[in-house]
Amino acid sequence: MNLDGRPATMDAGVQDVLGPDAADLAAASLAMARRFASGATLWCFAPSWPSHAQHVAVEFVHPVIVGKRALPAVMIPGPDLLESLRPLARAGDILLLVSRSDDPAAAGLRQRARAWGLLTVWIGAGPRPEPGAADYVLWVDDDEPISAYGGRFVLLYHLLWELTHVCFEHPGLLKSEQAECTDDACITCSDEGRLGEIVAVCPDGHAQVRTPAGLEAVDTTLIGDARLGDLVLIHAGAAVTLVEKSVR
Amino acid sequence: MSPEETGFLYPFIEADEHDVGALLSDLAASATGKAAESSELRTLTLEALDGDLDRAATAMAERFRAGGRLYTFGNGGSSTDAASVAALFGQAPLGSALPARCLVADQAVLTAIGNDVGYELTFSRQLIAFAASPDIAMGFSTSGNSENVIRAFEEARSRNVLTIGFAGYEGGQMAACEALEHCFIVRSHSVHRIQETQAALSYRLWEVVQEHLVPDGVGLAAQHEQLEPEVAR
């Protein structure tokens, strides 16, 4: 708060905010460009500020700079992200979330997004999400209740769009995401602890599970009462742990 | 000869590019530079338009006091900025909630007017239905030339509705629009930088309107102090 009583948001230079995030912004843009190059759709969700999700979507679909390619980006209407996105998302897609870290609509996001094979980018303000809550976190650290207004988020997603298109000028660097083994469930390195979401339960102790690789049948006898929407850890054809109960 | 010297002749050489580190540092530098540019434009514009913003906010506060509603509008990204401003005035977590609505919110109305009478009338037709003195019409157009935005100002003014506009570049047609009482021009040629500063300008309007409307002692500053413990949870 400054002397004349205005919230400090408008007085902090944008660069002060962006400085520590420039590398994250760069990395997020490259990851997004790689996904787009492989056919991804960008899903935009902003439960408290739907206009931000719409702005991101129109930015990518109808670029302000003539000649830039139109990219598939869609605003997801609220309020339930997981239910809306479940049937729409394909493995390889991108989810851009604009919300506070404590927004209930963001709960459960990380694990589900991993099970569905989504790249996640989270723009927000206030207390930061827990580490690993999304693949890329682009955060405005100060905790002004009105951080969502005044142009700061707009700047962040404008830059995300601009940098993503810079990446398209480097097709040689868009070929793959080789170094994505950042988690304990890397599907290319091992079969340890892959996340999957149960999409159908069979009476014989099996269930059909959705993973980034597609649908597969797994044995559920180890976890007992498997339910539709449960998130499970899969190892060697069996669901070995119940990670998160159904959110349906 | 290195690829850098001949790269412009052989664009396909880039297909063999493999230095991700160089690209990432270029991207980060570009982001920092653009953020600095955005920040500078915002600061300069806020300073240059300070008095005009105060006058417009004072006029808006009078209208709100008299029971007026705020209608916001724009196209594309500007339509979302218009929606954000309506949300800020109507549902901000601090300050008084004021009657504000964005005219792009209803697809049925937009497509009905666009289909039946023409896209250039999408906002002016709605103002005919909704607006009268002491209401306020606030339009956004980075070029300053969006026809449906200009037509809305003309309709609004003829109904004695207060008109406020945000433009970019040199203001386009909005700069010369007689129906537009308060015209804020963000002098840049980048649509993105213009929108970022327009958001800051409209935010300032909201702040000053709030200062006008709330009783002494419970201004934004005091409300903000009260909010902090809750936000810090």
Side-chain angles (χ1 to χ4, degrees):
Chain A
M1 189 69 59
N2 61 4
L3 288 178
D4 61 3
R6 279 187 292 117
T9 315
M10 300 308 299
D11 299 291
V14 169
Q15 202 173 357
D16 299 339
V17 178
L18 189 67
D21 279 340
D24 293 343
L25 203 54
S29 304
L30 179 59
M32 285 174 64
R34 285 174 164 172
R35 292 268 172 142
F36 277 128
S38 304
T41 295
L42 169 64
W43 305 101
C44 311
F45 185 64
S48 299
W49 314 292
S51 53
H52 284 312
Q54 281 176 318
H55 197 147
V56 177
V58 75
E59 210 64 63
F60 280 88
V61 170
H62 183 58
V64 293
I65 297 173
V66 177
K68 294 292 180 193
R69 61 190 278 194
L71 292 166
V74 182
M75 179 267 209
I76 308 170
D80 192 333
L81 169 67
L82 296 181
E83 290 305 309
S84 303
L85 197 56
R86 180 177 281 113
L88 288 168
R90 286 196 295 239
D93 282 351
I94 309 162
L95 171 65
L96 178 80
L97 180 70
V98 186
S99 81
R100 290 182 61 86
S101 58
D102 55 2
D103 194 310
L109 162 71
R110 174 195 181 195
Q111 306 276 39
R112 299 286 153 175
R114 272 172 61 191
W116 300 344
L118 304 183
L119 178 82
T120 50
V121 181
W122 196 347
I123 290 177
R128 286 194 172 234
E130 61 185 61
D135 295 311
Y136 297 96
V137 172
L138 306 173
W139 219 250
V140 175
D141 277 318
D142 69 42
D143 202 5
E144 302 292 338
I146 37 59
S147 290
Y149 305 101
R152 289 179 130 187
F153 286 178
V154 182
L155 171 67
L156 281 176
Y157 52 71
H158 277 164
L159 292 179
L160 209 52
W161 178 86
E162 289 174 35
L163 299 190
T164 298
H165 278 274
V166 172
C167 293
F168 283 123
E169 292 160 20
H170 302 266
L173 300 177
L174 295 180
K175 282 173 194 157
S176 63
E177 297 173 87
Q178 289 139 350
E180 263 205 299
C181 306
T182 53
D183 260 311
D184 54 357
C186 174
I187 57 167
T188 53
C189 301
S190 76
D191 192 39
E192 295 300 316
R194 287 185 300 125
L195 275 177
E197 182 181 60
I198 295 180
V199 294
V201 181
C202 314
D204 64 349
H206 278 76
Q208 201 167 42
V209 171
R210 175 182 181 173
T211 74
L215 294 178
E216 55 191 277
V218 300
D219 188 305
T220 55
T221 44
L222 281 175
I223 60 165
D225 183 26
R227 288 175 51 201
L228 210 60
D230 282 349
L231 204 61
V232 294
L233 211 57
I234 308 161
H235 176 73
V240 294
T241 314
L242 177 63
V243 176
E244 193 178 272
K245 280 190 183 298
S246 170
V247 291
R248 292 189 182 193
Chain B
M1 208 181 274
S2 73
E4 292 84 67
E5 287 163 314
T6 56
F8 71 101
L9 291 170
Y10 306 101
F12 53 84
I13 281 177
E14 296 224 326
D16 294 329
E17 202 178 343
H18 53 82
D19 189 355
V20 172
L23 174 61
L24 286 174
S25 60
D26 282 357
L27 294 176
S30 167
T32 307
K34 286 167 187 287
E37 202 184 303
S38 178
S39 178
E40 189 188 355
L41 179 64
R42 190 188 61 185
T43 306
L44 291 176
T45 309
L46 279 168
E47 275 171 22
L49 299 178
D50 193 43
D52 294 340
L53 286 163
D54 272 351
R55 278 186 287 280
T58 304
M60 287 178 76
E62 280 169 18
R63 297 276 174 142
F64 280 125
R65 249 190 233 107
R69 291 176 175 145
L70 169 65
Y71 296 101
T72 67
F73 44 90
N75 298 286
S78 297
S79 81
T80 69
D81 296 342
S84 290
V85 172
L88 174 64
F89 275 84
Q91 298 147 41
L94 71 171
S96 315
L98 296 166
R101 214 158 64 71
C102 179
L103 297 184
V104 295
D106 191 330
Q107 301 98 315
V109 170
L110 271 191
T111 53
I113 298 171
N115 184 57
D116 294 348
V117 290
Y119 189 75
E120 69 281 5
L121 301 178
T122 37
F123 303 132
S124 55
R125 288 279 285 195
Q126 291 190 69
L127 290 175
I128 291 171
F130 298 128
S133 181
D135 291 340
I136 305 160
M138 182 185 286
F140 293 79
S141 167
T142 54
S143 66
N145 294 328
S146 303
E147 197 181 341
N148 56 352
V149 172
I150 301 275
R151 295 285 285 264
F153 290 137
E154 288 165 355
E155 184 60 46
R157 198 67 211 108
S158 74
R159 309 173 74 77
N160 196 23
V161 167
L162 178 69
T163 50
I164 296 171
F166 294 90
Y169 297 85
E170 280 75 44
Q173 291 174 36
M174 274 166 66
C177 175
E178 286 179 9
L180 186 53
E181 293 163 278
H182 301 271
C183 181
F184 299 105
I185 301 169
V186 179
R187 298 194 181 274
S188 163
H189 285 210
S190 158
V191 171
H192 287 162
R193 304 293 88 82
I194 292 166
Q195 288 177 341
E196 288 147 19
T197 289
Q198 286 184 343
L201 298 178
S202 53
Y203 180 88
R204 174 64 61 85
L205 281 183
W206 172 79
E207 284 182 317
V208 181
V209 166
Q210 290 292 335
E211 294 299 336
H212 276 291
L213 290 180
V214 293
D216 289 344
V218 288
L220 286 184
Q223 290 187 42
H224 188 256
E225 303 294 322
Q226 287 161 17
L227 263 174
E228 264 167 3
E230 198 183 322
V231 168
R233 271 181 310 177

